[in-house]
């Protein structure tokens, strides 16, 4: 029997050349492109949203000592009470929590919510899919897991050229830290990994909240982005029916990558066979799939731009010595955006200013980037190495895992992307370019 499974993070994508024009209303394993009468995978979700129903999720936030990887750590957030809890609703619904967050689900797909303090959890907005599948395995989140909190890690971040390295990685809140309970009092000795059970047969994809034309790949680097993966469960059983799901701390080739387990048949619960480390599977840095691979199904033509590709319009990002910008040996650096280091007043958040204040003020030290909303806005985000402000900047000897900024919750298209100095003759792709809402720079 052919079984298709939805695995929103994984390795294999399988192409679908045609799918029936989804005009019927039934969403089913054979017709994932359909949704509700009048709504399907081709519906322009920026213009048309299904009728709303109110969905409420109650999350309890508390501080707990937890050991997701077998090592006791102070964990904030809603981890303990709701381990691995996914917020789930349908496209068009309205989500409310006991806080004041209430928002209409204008798009659909899988994403994550996080506090910038602790772990991230999944949010799953059901809607049509560009590929048919049989079984939805639910979201799989891979996270770095630190044994110290952000405040303890901060000195490493600002005083050394190295990034704080996580203690381990976890997949859906489970991981295995290499420690010995007889030597380390905080070591629990618990070894638990995220497991999924597959039956043989085919199994999906999308990116962010943007349905794309499915494509096939052997390797997918996942940063802040989300992907939906269709896997075909047709593995060879030469070395048993159990298989590792690997994920690496970016750029450290020797990092333990065995994170989760796929089992065909639940009876054999031994660890999978470990193949020799493949050179194909580590050390990519923060690379995204080529934007040409991410072709949106709902087509969009990018209109006339409001600004130019000219150098003065670059949104410059970089690191600057602090407090003396001219000191090449400075140990402390500040992050620059548009040539400035951002200084924000946390008690006066930007979103509050924009939504509640009658006359919001953004003084220069807040480094505002003003966009004209009447038309398209081009933004050139050069890598720090390309900034023409090198004399004041840290030479880029940071490990590749350290990205100066990431964007999420922004809605934009990628007109061009590449490595090396920004060329003068870049040709922007204005014809249905890749669309994103989360990105590492
Ligand atoms: C099975 O294990 C053998 C011996 O370690 C190895 O040579 C072979 O490539 C493995 N086969 C598969 C399909 O992983
Ligand atoms: C159980 O799985 C392991 C690894 O996948 C394999 O080496 C072993 O032979 C299997 N045991 C049985 C009884 O099938
Ligand atoms: C800043 O650093 C430069 C280069 O090391 C040095 O010449 C200058 O005196 C410093 N300025 C101050 C105020 O320390
Ligand atoms: C940023 O700094 C560079 C070099 O100092 C300068 O050429 C450029 O005009 C500045 N851009 C802005 C937007 O201030």
């Amino acid at each position: 029997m052919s079984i298709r499974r939805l695995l929103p993070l994984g390795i294999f994508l399988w192409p679908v050349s045609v799918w029936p024009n989804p005009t019927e209303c039934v969403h089913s394993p054979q017709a994932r492109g359909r949704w509700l009468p009048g709504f399907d995978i081709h519906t322009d979700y920026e213009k048309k949203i299904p009728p709303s129903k109110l969905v409420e999720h109650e999350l309890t936030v508390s501080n707990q000592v937890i050991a997701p990887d077998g090592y006791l750590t102070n964990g904030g957030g809603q981890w303990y009470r709701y381990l691995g809890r996914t917020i789930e609703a349908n496209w068009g619904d309205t989500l409310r929590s006991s806080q004041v967050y209430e928002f209409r689900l204008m798009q659909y797909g899988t994403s994550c919510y996080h506090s910038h303090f602790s772990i991230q959890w999944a949010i799953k907005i059901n809607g049509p899919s560009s590929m048919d599948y049989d079984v939805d395995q639910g979201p799989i989140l891979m996270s770095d897991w630190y044994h110290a909190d952000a405040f303890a890690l901060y000195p490493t971040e600002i005083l050394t050229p190295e990034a704080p390295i996580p203690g381990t990685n976890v997949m859906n809140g489970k991981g295995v830290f290499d420690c010995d309970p007889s030597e380390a009092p905080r070591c629990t000795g618990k070894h638990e990994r995220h497991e999924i059970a597959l039956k043989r047969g085919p199994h999906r994809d999308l990116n962010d909240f943007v349905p794309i034309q499915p494509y096939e790949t052997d390797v997918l680097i996942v940063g802040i982005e989300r992907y939906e993966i269709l896997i075909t469960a047709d593995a060879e059983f030469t070395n048993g029916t159990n298989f590792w799901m690997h994920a690496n701390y970016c750029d450290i080739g020797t990092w333990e990558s065995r994170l989760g387990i796929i089992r065909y048949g639940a009876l054999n619960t031994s660890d999978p066979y470990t193949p020799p480390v493949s050179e194909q599977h580590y050390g990519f840095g923060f690379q995204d799939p080529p934007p040409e691979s991410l072709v949106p199904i709902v087509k969009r033509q990018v209109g006339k731009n409001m600004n130019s590709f000219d150098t003065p319009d670059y949104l410059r990002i970089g690191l600057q010595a602090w407090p003396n910008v001219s000191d090449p040996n400075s140990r402390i650096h500040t992050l620059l955006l548009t040539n400035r280091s951002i200084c924000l007043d946390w008690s006066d958040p930007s979103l509050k200013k924009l939504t509640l204040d009658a006359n919001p003020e953004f003084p220069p030290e807040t480094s505002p980037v003003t966009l004209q909303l009447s038309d398209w806005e081009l933004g050139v985000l050069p890598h720090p190495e390309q900034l023409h402000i090198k004399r004041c900047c840290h030479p880029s000897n940071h490990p590749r895992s350290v990205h100066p900024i990431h964007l999420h919750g922004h809605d934009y298209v990628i007109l061009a992307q590449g490595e090396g100095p920004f060329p003068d003759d870049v040709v922007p792709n204005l014809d249905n370019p890749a669309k994103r809402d989360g990105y590492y720079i």
Side-chain angles (χ1 to χ4, degrees), residues 44-64:
D44 187 339
Y45 43 80
E46 291 189 355
K47 298 190 176 133
K48 210 173 146 190
I49 309 157
S52 175
K53 74 174 188 309
L54 188 65
V55 177
E56 293 186 69
H57 284 266
E58 198 179 317
L59 309 173
T60 302
V61 180
S62 58
N63 277 319
Q64 303 280 346

Side-chain angles (χ1 to χ4, degrees), residues 239-243 263 268-273:
N239 295 314
T241 53
N242 301 321
F243 298 86
R263 298 192 192 282
N268 184 336
T269 54
S270 59
D271 274 359
Y273 160 76

Side-chain angles (χ1 to χ4, degrees), residues 229-242:
I229 315 287
L230 184 100
I231 65 166
T232 302
D234 62 353
E236 285 177 26
F237 293 157
T238 335
N239 295 314
T241 53
N242 301 321

Side-chain angles (χ1 to χ4, degrees), residues 81 98 154 183 199 208 216 254 271 284 297 307 370 378:
R81 293 272 306 267
S98 50
Y154 187 55
E183 286 174 10
K199 284 187 184 148
D208 294 351
E216 191 175 342
T254 52
D271 274 359
F284 290 98
I297 286 193
N307 58 14
T370 310
L378 290 184

